Every structure is written in C-alpha cells, then in structure tokens.
Amino acid sequence: MTSTVSVKGVSKRYGGKVDALRELSFTLDEGETVALVGHNGAGKTTLIKLLLGLIRPTSGEVRVLGEDPAKGDFGVRRALGYLPESVSFHMALTGRETLSFYARLKRVDVKCADELFERVGLAISAADRPIRTYSKGMRQRLGLAQALLGAPKVLFLDEPTSGLDPALRRNFYTLIDELRAGGTTILLSSHALGELEDRAGRVIIVNRGSQIADGTIDDLRRIASLPSRIRVRPVSGGRPGLLRDTGVRWTEAGDGSLETEVAHAERLPLIHRLSDAASGIDTLTMIEPTLDDLYAHFLNSQEAA
Ligand code: ATP
C-alpha cells in the first residue's frame, strides 16, 4: 500500500501560547477513508490546514504525496481536494460560474462541471442559478463538487455532512466509497460519530491537540476492552430457567428480553454456550460498543491519566 500522507512528530503552537497540536504521528495510505474525530478545539482544522500547507508546523514534518505541502508545489496542490468546514461562495455567482472559477485556479478542464454536478447530486437545472437561491445542503454539495475538481488523489473534508439531510448523507458516503475504491485517500473530520461507524476504515481521535487513538473500529474495541451486550428474546411461553446454566447474570431488558454484559473475549464462548438453549430462543442480538462509547472511553482514559 502506498502512503500518500505522512505526519511525523508534528506540533503546532499559535501565538507562542496555544498548543493546538502536540507530537502527532501517523501515515495515510492510498484507498483509505480515515475519520478524524475530537471535541471542538481539539485541533482537527489545524491539522487539515497543515496538510494543505496553509500553515507550517512549529516542529515535526508533514509530507503529502512526498512533498512538504507548505512549499506550494502546484503538482501537489492540484492533486489535493479540500472541503472547508464553512463553505462560503460569492452569492451572486451561479454554481457553474463558481465551479469554472475553481477549475481555472486548478487548471482543470471545466467541461467536467456537468458530470460533477450530477456526481454530487446537484440538479443541472440549479447549476445556472445564483448561489443565493441555494439551500445549505446545495451549497455543501457545490463545495464537494469544488473539492472533487481534477480527480484529487487526497481529499480533506472538514465536517462534510453538516447541512445534509439523511438521504444526501447516504449519497455522500456512496460517493466517498467510490472514490476510496478508486484509490483516493480521504481524511474527513466529523462530530457525527454514529454515521462514521460503518463508513470509516480507520479512526484517529484527537483530544486537546494530542492523538489518543488510531486504528480500525475493531482495533479500538480490542484496545478499549469495553464489554459487549448480548440480548436474548425467549420464544413466547419460553421455558423458565432457560439461561440458568450460561454462567452469567441476566437482567430483564423491559420488552421480555434478557440482557447481559460480557468481556470482549467472552462473547463467542457465551454464544457457544447459548446454542444449548437454542430451541428456547427467538432472537439473539450482540450489541458491540459503538464509536460513541469508544470515543468517550479514550477521552476519559486520557483525562484520568
Ligand atoms: P472545531 O471542531 O470546533 O472546528 P477543531 O478541532 O477544528 O475545532 P482547531 O480549530 O484546530 O480545532 O483549534 C485548535 C485550537 O487552536 C483551539 O484552542 C483554537 O482556539 C486554537 N486556534 C486555532 N486557530 C488559531 C489561530 N489562528 N490563532 C490562535 N489560536 C488558534
């Protein structure tokens, strides 16, 4: 796998007193979707600005496509796409004029505009209307079309789904999956942890400028060792004492189901033991710790340290 982004021991201090980032180190590969998560002020935007070469690190080394992005190599800039946290366009220009403007800056053929409008789900009929008539979601989609100009190898998306309704969010992630499958590296910052769960191959958590976790959701579950919940709904009129010999304590979940918590490594042995009671079980559900649970766990562990 080829690395496209490398961050080594990077710190950023603003104005000699605000430590926005402390000693971050990671690499990103081609064809990876990585979620960057953290509270407000954790340092996500600062990191994206460093990767774009808009600011320089106080110490450490940033490389994007093998170059220092702050040097401003046009070949590298052209291969990057960026969707800022708050997209703002000139309200009097149409979507098409706006995209043409950015296409010229990137020296990309503007003929791709219609295809991009379609790709981000912006009706061609809207392309020739002034942006002041666009909804927030339409402006966000225009921002995404701008980020996709020139088929970037690396995409930085800061809060890309804010302002999108649930259907558009789904479209957005389908598009992200297509880009990732085509080899694009995607780093997206978000507070919407629920929607990232099945969509980001890897999660980097930052807190107060420090990187406190980095891995796939399964890696983070293993490291955090938070218990999973197993819920069993007995068949109607189920046998009393059905789960008596399973070696764990069950509690009523309120809807007739019984629930227990087991350590990560104990999940499969328990499910194996439950197979003896299978004829009395209607449904069995395993509830793994969510990204929300993991995020809270890593944050609390760092705060306690
Ligand atoms: P949010 O989720 O709210 O966008 P964030 O994780 O993107 O937050 P940053 O915007 O990177 O966080 O800010 C990290 C820290 O650096 C904050 O304490 C912020 O106040 C500070 N900061 C950011 N930009 C500057 C600047 N130009 N000058 C001084 N301090 C700054």
Side-chain angles (χ1 to χ4, degrees):
M1 197 64 79
T2 315
S3 289
T4 48
V5 172
S6 146
V7 169
K8 278 192 203 149
V10 164
S11 299
K12 177 69 188 175
R13 171 171 276 208
Y14 286 111
K17 45 180 184 287
V18 181
D19 284 310
L21 293 176
R22 302 161 205 251
E23 291 285 322
L24 257 64
S25 292
F26 61 84
T27 55
L28 307 180
D29 291 336
E30 267 179 12
E32 264 201 304
T33 304
V34 180
L36 180 64
V37 301
H39 278 5
N40 292 121
K44 305 177 297 294
T45 304
T46 299
L47 176 61
I48 292 179
K49 283 183 182 167
L50 282 167
L51 296 173
L52 287 164
L54 298 175
I55 54 173
R56 289 174 190 272
T58 308
S59 57
E61 184 188 276
V62 178
R63 291 287 176 270
V64 177
L65 299 169
E67 300 287 334
D68 174 356
K71 284 199 176 142
D73 178 276
F74 183 69
V76 172
R77 288 212 165 174
R78 198 170 185 227
L80 301 184
Y82 172 48
L83 176 67
E85 186 177 1
S86 335
V87 216
S88 62
F89 296 115
H90 196 302
M91 292 291 154
L93 295 181
T94 66
R96 191 183 301 281
E97 285 164 344
T98 304
L99 215 52
S100 303
F101 169 74
Y102 286 103
R104 277 200 300 279
L105 283 181
K106 253 189 161 175
R107 294 184 214 156
V108 171
D109 191 344
V110 75
K111 281 200 206 104
C112 62
D114 281 352
E115 189 214 319
L116 277 176
F117 283 129
E118 201 171 316
R119 209 152 178 215
V120 299
L122 204 57
I124 302 289
S125 55
D128 295 306
R129 280 187 1 221
I131 293 173
R132 66 169 175 275
T133 66
Y134 285 18
S135 66
K136 186 164 190 285
M138 287 167 82
R139 286 202 286 271
Q140 190 73 356
R141 278 177 281 164
L142 179 61
L144 189 59
Q146 166 279 127
L148 296 182
L149 276 166
K153 289 198 171 81
V154 182
L155 257 183
F156 300 124
L157 307 173
D158 206 350
E159 296 285 335
T161 56
S162 69
L164 300 187
D165 63 37
L168 284 176
R169 280 172 191 232
R170 263 199 310 280
N171 290 356
F172 166 79
Y173 283 110
T174 306
L175 179 59
I176 290 298
D177 271 346
E178 286 168 15
L179 293 164
R180 187 195 47 72
T184 310
T185 302
I186 299 146
L187 181 70
L188 62 95
S189 97
S190 181
H191 292 288
L193 302 188
E195 69 185 42
L196 293 173
E197 206 148 306
D198 302 322
R199 281 133 175 176
R202 181 175 150 201
V203 181
I204 296 178
I205 305 179
V206 284
N207 186 38
R208 299 180 196 221
S210 300
Q211 177 181 335
I212 57 170
D214 178 0
T216 63
I217 296 197
D218 281 339
D219 291 338
L220 301 189
R221 284 192 178 124
R222 247 188 319 274
I223 298 166
S225 285
L226 294 178
S228 304
R229 282 180 294 143
I230 295 197
R231 187 178 291 173
V232 166
R233 181 195 286 274
V235 290
S236 60
R239 285 185 274 132
L242 173 74
L243 304 175
R244 199 171 37 218
D245 299 326
T246 50
V248 290
R249 208 161 63 81
W250 296 87
T251 51
E252 294 270 355
D255 60 349
S257 298
L258 295 158
E259 201 174 283
T260 190
E261 278 194 351
V262 277
H264 191 77
E266 282 303 309
R267 298 163 312 157
L268 296 182
L270 175 60
I271 288 175
H272 184 69
R273 293 200 294 281
L274 284 172
S275 63
D276 292 340
S279 60
I281 294 175
D282 181 36
T283 46
L284 184 149
T285 315
M286 182 156 72
I287 306 157
E288 296 272 40
T290 61
L291 185 52
D292 254 318
D293 299 332
L294 294 164
Y295 179 68
H297 167 84
F298 284 104
L299 243 57
N300 292 339
S301 309
Q302 195 214 14
E303 298 289 331

